[in-house]
Amino acid sequence: MCHARRVTSEHATPTESGAAPDLGTLAEVVARQRAELDRLRDLATASAVVERAKGAVMALTGGTAEDAHETLVRRAKAERRTLLEECRRTLGALTPPPAAAPASHALGAMPVPPAPDLSGDAALAGLTDALAGAGTPRDLARCLLERLAPGVAADAVLLYAPLPSGGLELVGHAGLGDAAAARWREVPPLSGTPALDALRTGEPRWLDCPGHDDGPDPLGAGPRGRRRSRAWLPVPTGLCLGVRRRDGAPFPPDAREHLRAVARLCAGWLTTPGPRRPPAGDGAAEAVRRVFDALPGAAVLLTPVRAPSGEVRDLRIEAATAQASLFTGGRTTDPVGRRLLECVPSACAGPVLRACLRTLTTGEPSEGEPFPLREPADEAAEPVTHRLRVAPLDDALVLSWVREDPSDRQEQRLADVQRLGNLGWANWDLVTDEATWSAQVFAIFGRDPAHGPVPLTGLPALAVPDDAPALTRAVGELTGEGRPCDVPFRARTPGGVRHLRIVAEAATDGRGTPVEVHGFVQDVTARRRAELALLESERAMLTQHDVLLAERTLAARLQDALLPLPRGPVRPAGLRVEVAYLPAQAGVQVGGDWFSAIELPDGDALFVVGDVAGHGVDAVATMAQLRFTAKGMVVTGSSLTGALARLNTLLLHSRGAHGTASMVLARYSAARRRLVWAQAGHLPPLLLRDGTARFLDRPKGILLGAGTAPVYEEAECLMEPGDRLILYTDGLVERPPEGIDRGLDRLAAAAAAHHAREAGTLEPLLASLLPAAELRDDVCVLDIRVPDAAAHRP
């Protein structure tokens, strides 16, 4: 249906030359023109309502636009209404089409559901007019919220469209913050979701019962987390409309009926054919076109073309520069008004669309990836690389193409190499005394480019005094003899002293005289500082190694003097005792392991095995102190537990004492073959009897130096002829990272095996237990054997 439009205007009657205009006449003209504009605006709104009603009837019947217009006119005459009234009633009473309509029905005979009498519903009629001006689903949501807020007490409106996956996509919203809208942009296809249930059943979901709480619902929580009454209504065209009230009161019956009618009006809005936005030929677009007419280069003004769901399907060209023909297929026709993806070559369609969508989403300018494009005037020419840029302009986009010159790319690559390698090139013309530096050379020397480059002969002046002679000599050989140079030197810069390197060579004329020098200057400060730091660290390590080696030598000599090893087995109290001491080979430190195996004045035997925590001279000194003090206390009549208690006090209060220590004290009486022993945090002795190995039960006792009031107890063991007792330090059984129990089991098994077959030496046992690699800790072992009965026979 076409409407002829006539715009009338009147001009004020010209006044006589030099006379003032009649203000009353001008006011009348302005009033008439304003009335004419209001009339034209109402006419445009009425035309939009008619077109939207035609689209709704077309969606219901499947007929053409002419058939829909005839149906509306016939129904208006039958009901004695105007065409505009009938269109508004049709949009308000829109219902979904039948499930299956025979294709043979004539349009005039097709039954149309009777529309309820809404002629008195001014709010619904006003909403119909307002919907005609909505351009996008988001505009539709804003319009609905504005109209529903007074009567329904609505404070949020959402529009969701179904996704192929079965979920929902948010296409329009009002009253919901952008952060919440982004969080609820997609609703997964979960059971119990009110919006999905409304679409599946075709019935509204009224969630206004106290304490009602359904599945995922973007309208479920109102301000400050309080629940709000909300409704989800299916729109006959496939969308879902969500409305939330400001309070928790239920929707009254009249509000429910009103919302059902609003959902039907939304269906009419969605089924109206044609673009939803007004044409872009407004003043802003016209201004852009005038600017584009004067611009060089290729650029276009684009507006998005959206689907009913709000998704951008394409972009419409609203303005274009003359040079944009390269990117619109080389056509001679004006591309304005055409869809962008119909015009641009396939080579740049993908980059263009991705860059535009990125800018529409973020609102920030973006650049697309480079792409090759051949000039339309010369199909045989090689493609030229272009780069596109997209910038937002209100609701539109400005898209421009920039041709990349190969030389520009090479310059950029060279600049990147110089920056990453912290080097720059330099040329010196020896004939004209002209010099050229790259920007990186100025940055290396910290020199202002406005001061220009330094002549080659003036380069040594930039070096520190100690390095200037070598640089002067190298420059002289370069300019005089043409000999290449590669010289490291230090230069003073505003950022401090830098370590630099110059590599240069000379170009000569036909007679061999240098006429030009070219080369590069590199900043090697970081590498040089790392080298100096490494050298200093090596020197410190060597010095420390020498100190530790001297300390080890001293400790080893002190240990040999304080702990002499017997040349063979010793026989205190009629026992056979074999001693082994193996120092650790890893590192330069010696440990604090020690032993004693002596016969006391009363004929008993005293056995001691101990281990001071740590290594070095301090550990050896503490070992000597404990060893001699322990022997002296027992020799002078102290009990084993009394000796341990006094040694603990000594270790706690002696100046220079070294940490903690473990110890085993054992006293053997030959008359009764009785062994009494006590320990301070030490591993238990191993007893071998009749081919069986077992560890003695440890009495109470903590490490020496670990507490101020320790408790030590004694244990007794009656020895039998042929018994074998092994006292040892932890270096014999420890193998990090395995546990100590595994090492003890290994010792018991090995001792039992060797006891059954060897003749009585300790070496085979140690060889089977200790690894071939270097020892990690000192090892001290006392192998005590009780003679068998045959050895006592006369």
Side-chain angles (χ1 to χ4, degrees), residues 214-243:
D214 269 72
D217 188 351
L219 296 178
R224 299 180 182 176
R226 293 177 292 178
R227 308 298 289 184
R228 292 288 184 263
S229 295
R230 62 251 189 229
W232 290 98
L233 302 99
V235 178
T237 51
L239 297 187
C240 190
L241 171 65
V243 179

Short mmCIF file of all heavy atoms in Angstrom, two decimals, residues 214-243:
data_model
loop_
_atom_site.label_atom_id
_atom_site.label_comp_id
_atom_site.label_asym_id
_atom_site.label_seq_id
_atom_site.Cartn_x
_atom_site.Cartn_y
_atom_site.Cartn_z
N ASP A 214 12.77 -21.54 40.91
CA ASP A 214 12.92 -22.52 39.83
C ASP A 214 14.37 -22.70 39.47
O ASP A 214 15.27 -22.37 40.23
CB ASP A 214 12.11 -22.05 38.61
CG ASP A 214 10.69 -22.61 38.65
OD1 ASP A 214 9.89 -22.15 39.48
OD2 ASP A 214 10.41 -23.50 37.85
N GLY A 215 14.57 -23.23 38.25
CA GLY A 215 15.92 -23.46 37.76
C GLY A 215 16.60 -22.16 37.36
O GLY A 215 16.24 -21.07 37.82
N PRO A 216 17.60 -22.24 36.47
CA PRO A 216 18.35 -21.05 36.06
C PRO A 216 17.42 -19.97 35.53
O PRO A 216 16.63 -20.21 34.61
CB PRO A 216 19.28 -21.59 34.96
CG PRO A 216 19.40 -23.04 35.25
CD PRO A 216 18.09 -23.47 35.82
N ASP A 217 17.48 -18.77 36.11
CA ASP A 217 16.57 -17.70 35.76
C ASP A 217 17.28 -16.37 35.94
O ASP A 217 17.59 -15.98 37.07
CB ASP A 217 15.32 -17.77 36.64
CG ASP A 217 14.24 -16.81 36.19
OD1 ASP A 217 14.52 -15.98 35.31
OD2 ASP A 217 13.11 -16.90 36.70
N PRO A 218 17.57 -15.64 34.86
CA PRO A 218 18.25 -14.35 35.02
C PRO A 218 17.43 -13.31 35.76
O PRO A 218 17.96 -12.33 36.24
CB PRO A 218 18.52 -13.91 33.56
CG PRO A 218 17.56 -14.69 32.73
CD PRO A 218 17.33 -15.98 33.45
N LEU A 219 16.09 -13.52 35.85
CA LEU A 219 15.25 -12.59 36.58
C LEU A 219 14.97 -13.06 38.00
O LEU A 219 14.16 -12.47 38.70
CB LEU A 219 13.91 -12.41 35.84
CG LEU A 219 13.99 -11.77 34.45
CD1 LEU A 219 12.62 -11.72 33.82
CD2 LEU A 219 14.60 -10.38 34.52
N GLY A 220 15.62 -14.15 38.42
CA GLY A 220 15.28 -14.75 39.70
C GLY A 220 15.61 -13.89 40.89
O GLY A 220 14.89 -13.89 41.88
N ALA A 221 16.71 -13.16 40.84
CA ALA A 221 17.14 -12.36 41.99
C ALA A 221 17.02 -10.90 41.66
O ALA A 221 17.55 -10.45 40.64
CB ALA A 221 18.57 -12.70 42.38
N GLY A 222 16.33 -10.17 42.50
CA GLY A 222 16.20 -8.74 42.31
C GLY A 222 17.30 -7.99 43.03
O GLY A 222 18.31 -8.57 43.44
N PRO A 223 17.16 -6.71 43.24
CA PRO A 223 18.16 -5.93 43.98
C PRO A 223 18.35 -6.47 45.38
O PRO A 223 17.41 -6.91 46.03
CB PRO A 223 17.55 -4.51 43.97
CG PRO A 223 16.60 -4.50 42.80
CD PRO A 223 16.06 -5.89 42.71
N ARG A 224 19.60 -6.48 45.84
CA ARG A 224 20.00 -6.95 47.16
C ARG A 224 19.62 -8.41 47.39
O ARG A 224 19.43 -8.85 48.51
CB ARG A 224 19.38 -6.07 48.25
CG ARG A 224 19.81 -4.61 48.15
CD ARG A 224 19.17 -3.78 49.23
NE ARG A 224 19.56 -2.37 49.11
CZ ARG A 224 19.09 -1.40 49.88
NH1 ARG A 224 18.22 -1.69 50.86
NH2 ARG A 224 19.48 -0.16 49.70
N GLY A 225 19.50 -9.18 46.30
CA GLY A 225 19.28 -10.61 46.42
C GLY A 225 17.86 -11.02 46.74
O GLY A 225 17.57 -12.20 46.90
N ARG A 226 16.88 -10.07 46.84
CA ARG A 226 15.50 -10.44 47.16
C ARG A 226 14.82 -11.00 45.92
O ARG A 226 15.02 -10.52 44.82
CB ARG A 226 14.74 -9.23 47.69
CG ARG A 226 15.25 -8.74 49.05
CD ARG A 226 14.52 -7.51 49.49
NE ARG A 226 14.86 -6.37 48.62
CZ ARG A 226 14.32 -5.16 48.76
NH1 ARG A 226 13.43 -4.93 49.70
NH2 ARG A 226 14.67 -4.18 47.95
N ARG A 227 13.95 -12.00 46.12
CA ARG A 227 13.22 -12.60 45.02
C ARG A 227 12.15 -11.65 44.52
O ARG A 227 11.54 -10.92 45.28
CB ARG A 227 12.60 -13.92 45.45
CG ARG A 227 13.56 -14.90 46.09
CD ARG A 227 14.68 -15.31 45.17
NE ARG A 227 14.21 -16.18 44.10
CZ ARG A 227 15.01 -16.75 43.21
NH1 ARG A 227 16.29 -16.48 43.24
NH2 ARG A 227 14.54 -17.54 42.28
N ARG A 228 11.91 -11.66 43.22
CA ARG A 228 10.91 -10.82 42.60
C ARG A 228 9.92 -11.69 41.84
O ARG A 228 10.27 -12.76 41.35
CB ARG A 228 11.58 -9.83 41.63
CG ARG A 228 12.44 -8.78 42.34
CD ARG A 228 11.54 -7.79 43.07
NE ARG A 228 12.32 -6.73 43.69
CZ ARG A 228 12.70 -6.72 44.95
NH1 ARG A 228 12.40 -7.75 45.72
NH2 ARG A 228 13.39 -5.72 45.44
N SER A 229 8.69 -11.21 41.72
CA SER A 229 7.73 -11.89 40.87
C SER A 229 8.14 -11.66 39.42
O SER A 229 8.52 -10.55 39.04
CB SER A 229 6.32 -11.33 41.12
OG SER A 229 5.91 -11.61 42.44
N ARG A 230 8.05 -12.71 38.62
CA ARG A 230 8.42 -12.58 37.23
C ARG A 230 7.55 -13.51 36.39
O ARG A 230 6.93 -14.45 36.92
CB ARG A 230 9.91 -12.88 36.98
CG ARG A 230 10.33 -14.29 37.32
CD ARG A 230 11.20 -14.31 38.54
NE ARG A 230 11.78 -15.65 38.73
CZ ARG A 230 11.72 -16.27 39.90
NH1 ARG A 230 11.14 -15.71 40.93
NH2 ARG A 230 12.27 -17.47 40.04
N ALA A 231 7.53 -13.22 35.11
CA ALA A 231 6.72 -14.00 34.18
C ALA A 231 7.52 -14.25 32.93
O ALA A 231 8.29 -13.39 32.48
CB ALA A 231 5.43 -13.25 33.84
N TRP A 232 7.36 -15.45 32.36
CA TRP A 232 8.00 -15.81 31.09
C TRP A 232 6.87 -16.20 30.13
O TRP A 232 6.12 -17.14 30.40
CB TRP A 232 8.97 -16.98 31.27
CG TRP A 232 10.19 -16.59 32.03
CD1 TRP A 232 10.45 -16.77 33.35
CD2 TRP A 232 11.33 -15.91 31.50
NE1 TRP A 232 11.66 -16.27 33.70
CE2 TRP A 232 12.24 -15.73 32.58
CE3 TRP A 232 11.69 -15.44 30.25
CZ2 TRP A 232 13.46 -15.10 32.43
CZ3 TRP A 232 12.91 -14.81 30.09
CH2 TRP A 232 13.79 -14.65 31.16
N LEU A 233 6.74 -15.45 29.02
CA LEU A 233 5.66 -15.64 28.08
C LEU A 233 6.21 -16.00 26.71
O LEU A 233 7.13 -15.30 26.22
CB LEU A 233 4.79 -14.38 27.96
CG LEU A 233 4.15 -13.89 29.26
CD1 LEU A 233 4.98 -12.76 29.85
CD2 LEU A 233 2.72 -13.44 29.02
N PRO A 234 5.71 -17.05 26.07
CA PRO A 234 6.17 -17.38 24.73
C PRO A 234 5.61 -16.39 23.71
O PRO A 234 4.43 -16.04 23.74
CB PRO A 234 5.61 -18.79 24.51
CG PRO A 234 4.41 -18.86 25.38
CD PRO A 234 4.69 -17.99 26.58
N VAL A 235 6.46 -15.90 22.82
CA VAL A 235 6.04 -15.06 21.71
C VAL A 235 5.75 -15.98 20.53
O VAL A 235 6.55 -16.88 20.24
CB VAL A 235 7.13 -14.04 21.36
CG1 VAL A 235 6.72 -13.18 20.18
CG2 VAL A 235 7.42 -13.16 22.57
N PRO A 236 4.60 -15.84 19.84
CA PRO A 236 4.23 -16.80 18.80
C PRO A 236 5.28 -17.01 17.72
O PRO A 236 5.28 -18.04 17.06
CB PRO A 236 2.95 -16.19 18.23
CG PRO A 236 2.35 -15.43 19.35
CD PRO A 236 3.52 -14.86 20.12
N THR A 237 6.20 -16.06 17.54
CA THR A 237 7.21 -16.24 16.49
C THR A 237 8.44 -16.99 16.97
O THR A 237 9.41 -17.12 16.23
CB THR A 237 7.65 -14.86 15.97
OG1 THR A 237 8.00 -14.04 17.08
CG2 THR A 237 6.54 -14.22 15.18
N GLY A 238 8.45 -17.49 18.21
CA GLY A 238 9.55 -18.32 18.66
C GLY A 238 10.40 -17.71 19.75
O GLY A 238 11.24 -18.39 20.32
N LEU A 239 10.25 -16.43 20.07
CA LEU A 239 11.01 -15.83 21.15
C LEU A 239 10.32 -16.06 22.49
O LEU A 239 9.19 -16.58 22.55
CB LEU A 239 11.19 -14.33 20.91
CG LEU A 239 11.98 -13.91 19.68
CD1 LEU A 239 12.19 -12.40 19.70
CD2 LEU A 239 13.30 -14.62 19.58
N CYS A 240 11.01 -15.68 23.56
CA CYS A 240 10.45 -15.77 24.89
C CYS A 240 10.63 -14.43 25.57
O CYS A 240 11.74 -13.86 25.58
CB CYS A 240 11.12 -16.87 25.70
SG CYS A 240 10.27 -17.22 27.27
N LEU A 241 9.53 -13.89 26.11
CA LEU A 241 9.52 -12.58 26.77
C LEU A 241 9.52 -12.78 28.28
O LEU A 241 8.67 -13.49 28.82
CB LEU A 241 8.28 -11.79 26.33
CG LEU A 241 8.00 -10.48 27.09
CD1 LEU A 241 9.10 -9.46 26.84
CD2 LEU A 241 6.64 -9.91 26.67
N GLY A 242 10.47 -12.14 28.97
CA GLY A 242 10.56 -12.20 30.42
C GLY A 242 10.29 -10.84 31.03
O GLY A 242 10.85 -9.84 30.57
N VAL A 243 9.45 -10.78 32.05
CA VAL A 243 9.10 -9.53 32.72
C VAL A 243 9.23 -9.74 34.22
O VAL A 243 8.75 -10.74 34.77
CB VAL A 243 7.66 -9.10 32.37
CG1 VAL A 243 7.30 -7.80 33.09
CG2 VAL A 243 7.48 -8.93 30.87
#
